[in-house]
Amino acid sequence: MAEHYVLDPTSEKDLALFDELVASQGMSVLDTTKNQLGSLHALVPEPAKEIREEPVRWVHYPWRTSLVRVLGPEGFRTLRLDRNRNKITQSEQKRMSGLRVGVVGLSVGHAVAHTIAIEGLCGELRLADFDELDLSNLNRVPASIFDLDVNKSAVAARRIAELDPYLSVITYPEGLTPSSMDAFLDGLDIVIDECDSLDTKLTLRENARQRGIPVVMETSDGGILDVERFDIEPNRPLMHGLLGDLDADALANITPEQKAPLAARILDPTKLTPRMLASLPEIGKTLSTWPQLGSDVALGGASVAAVVRAFGLGSPPPSGRVRINLEAHIRNIAEVTA
């Protein structure tokens, strides 16, 4: 997949490329910078002169066959994230732009990565997934039929590029493999595990623990949110020790039927939602795999983003688990009294 490209207005090469792209057949050209600049100047307080007068840019989106004109990077970020203030202050937002976050598994991970990007919680995202988007993914992945058969990491990267062309996104379309592990993890501040493979989950944690990188995982059913602080606990058992002495090699190539009881050990069957509990013995029989709902995935994106934000604000949570079960909260809705 060709990546998007931000054209430099001071580069003769990019100016020539712009002329070539504009002249190419079928190219759509969109310029809303007049309104963008108006909104930028209307901010309170008014941005600094160097931001107001920053040269605008053209961005080429090859998958859209489009050129889009946007504010320069400082003005774009200032305006796009203005409504974050003061839930996130400007100084905090700037500090978060130094965070590097990795996401493994871009089904649930798509919602996670996009939510992190939309809040401006990092300066670099690394996305790893070997799989291609299938029609059956569209009950929970916020993509479209135009994305079918495209690698999932590329689908997420495209959506983020259309949100913020200046955010650095690096894709690993081969997924997390022995040959890509070092490049993916080196220099990361946080890694988020949203993959399905149990052996990959353990391999990821083994490598994250060696490097002192915290791992965050959200499991849709019942809103289970896990944090493993390998950055401050170098000897912490993987997966909170819930799989005992099992290692990645022992979990390679297991069937869905074999995976179900191990997943139950991680999730605690006594606390699964009733419908998920009833579904587990049907996996591989009457169900292709475990069920997931789009609303639960969206909640997962918000939950993980909140953890990343806490790290960025300098108040990260400890290792452990919390359940953000919306169904349970909704059942407890009570009348409001004056």
Side-chain angles (χ1 to χ4, degrees):
M1 177 205 78
E3 298 178 353
H4 75 290
Y5 180 65
V6 181
L7 282 72
D8 182 350
T10 66
S11 165
E12 291 186 8
K13 180 181 177 182
D14 281 1
L15 291 174
L17 176 59
F18 173 78
D19 291 337
E20 179 184 332
L21 288 169
V22 168
S24 59
Q25 186 175 6
M27 184 63 63
S28 173
V29 179
L30 177 65
D31 183 358
T32 62
T33 49
K34 180 180 179 180
N35 288 337
Q36 293 176 43
L37 286 165
S39 296
L40 180 68
H41 283 257
L43 293 180
V44 178
E46 188 177 45
K49 181 179 179 181
E50 59 267 25
I51 294 177
R52 299 195 312 269
E53 297 181 356
E54 184 183 27
V56 296
R57 307 289 201 272
W58 284 98
V59 185
H60 178 219
Y61 293 99
W63 60 90
R64 292 273 190 187
T65 321
S66 296
L67 277 165
V68 182
R69 204 177 191 203
V70 296
L71 297 178
E74 291 299 321
F76 186 93
R77 185 173 179 84
T78 298
L79 180 57
R80 190 179 81 78
L81 299 177
D82 181 68
R83 289 292 295 272
N84 282 4
R85 298 185 301 142
N86 272 332
K87 290 191 172 184
I88 302 174
T89 67
Q90 286 182 322
S91 61
E92 290 168 341
Q93 199 83 68
K94 185 175 182 179
R95 187 166 68 245
M96 287 180 189
S97 68
L99 285 181
R100 288 167 290 191
V101 179
V103 183
V104 183
L106 272 303
S107 290
V108 174
H110 182 127
V112 169
H114 189 263
T115 308
I116 290 170
I118 207 169
E119 282 194 20
L121 300 181
C122 70
E124 179 177 295
L125 276 167
R126 301 178 193 173
L127 311 178
D129 198 317
F130 65 88
D131 202 8
E132 295 178 347
L133 191 74
D134 185 77
L135 184 57
S136 64
N137 299 136
L138 292 185
N139 78 315
R140 62 196 185 281
V141 177
S144 77
I145 56 174
F146 292 97
D147 301 309
L148 296 179
D149 294 341
V150 177
N151 176 267
K152 289 179 179 177
S153 67
V155 172
R158 287 178 177 182
R159 187 165 179 236
I160 291 167
E162 293 179 11
L163 164 75
D164 185 345
Y166 299 110
L167 178 60
S168 174
V169 180
I170 303 169
T171 60
Y172 292 79
E174 73 280 14
L176 208 57
T177 66
S179 61
S180 67
M181 184 72 71
D182 286 343
F184 181 83
L185 287 177
D186 284 352
L188 281 187
D189 296 292
I190 305 167
V191 63
I192 297 157
D193 168 26
E194 297 298 340
C195 68
D196 291 334
S197 167
L198 289 179
D199 57 312
T200 300
K201 287 180 180 294
L202 287 186
T203 301
L204 174 63
R205 282 164 175 76
E206 288 166 358
N207 283 271
R209 185 170 61 181
Q210 290 171 8
R211 293 167 173 80
I213 303 171
V215 176
V216 182
M217 179 177 73
E218 202 280 340
T219 308
S220 300
D221 186 68
I224 302 171
L225 181 66
D226 287 287
V227 178
E228 295 168 85
R229 293 291 306 278
F230 298 125
D231 54 322
I232 58 174
E233 299 174 76
N235 298 313
R236 183 174 180 82
L238 307 179
M239 304 286 295
H240 311 303
L242 294 171
L243 291 179
D245 296 328
L246 286 176
D247 59 19
D249 291 338
L251 298 178
N253 302 316
I254 63 173
T255 65
E257 293 91 338
Q258 294 169 320
K259 184 189 295 186
L262 295 174
R265 283 171 59 180
I266 296 171
L267 302 179
D268 185 354
T270 65
K271 296 181 180 178
L272 293 178
T273 61
R275 293 192 182 218
M276 177 60 82
L277 192 59
S279 298
L280 287 178
E282 297 301 316
I283 294 173
K285 298 174 183 176
T286 64
L287 293 174
S288 302
T289 185
W290 52 73
Q292 286 182 298
L293 296 177
S295 56
D296 291 339
V297 168
L299 175 65
S303 300
V304 175
V307 174
V308 173
R309 184 169 64 247
F311 273 91
L313 294 175
S315 54
S319 294
R321 169 178 287 179
V322 66
R323 294 174 188 266
I324 307 169
N325 189 333
L326 285 187
E327 291 183 13
H329 288 301
I330 290 169
R331 285 196 298 270
N332 290 328
I333 288 177
E335 182 62 70
V336 177
T337 56

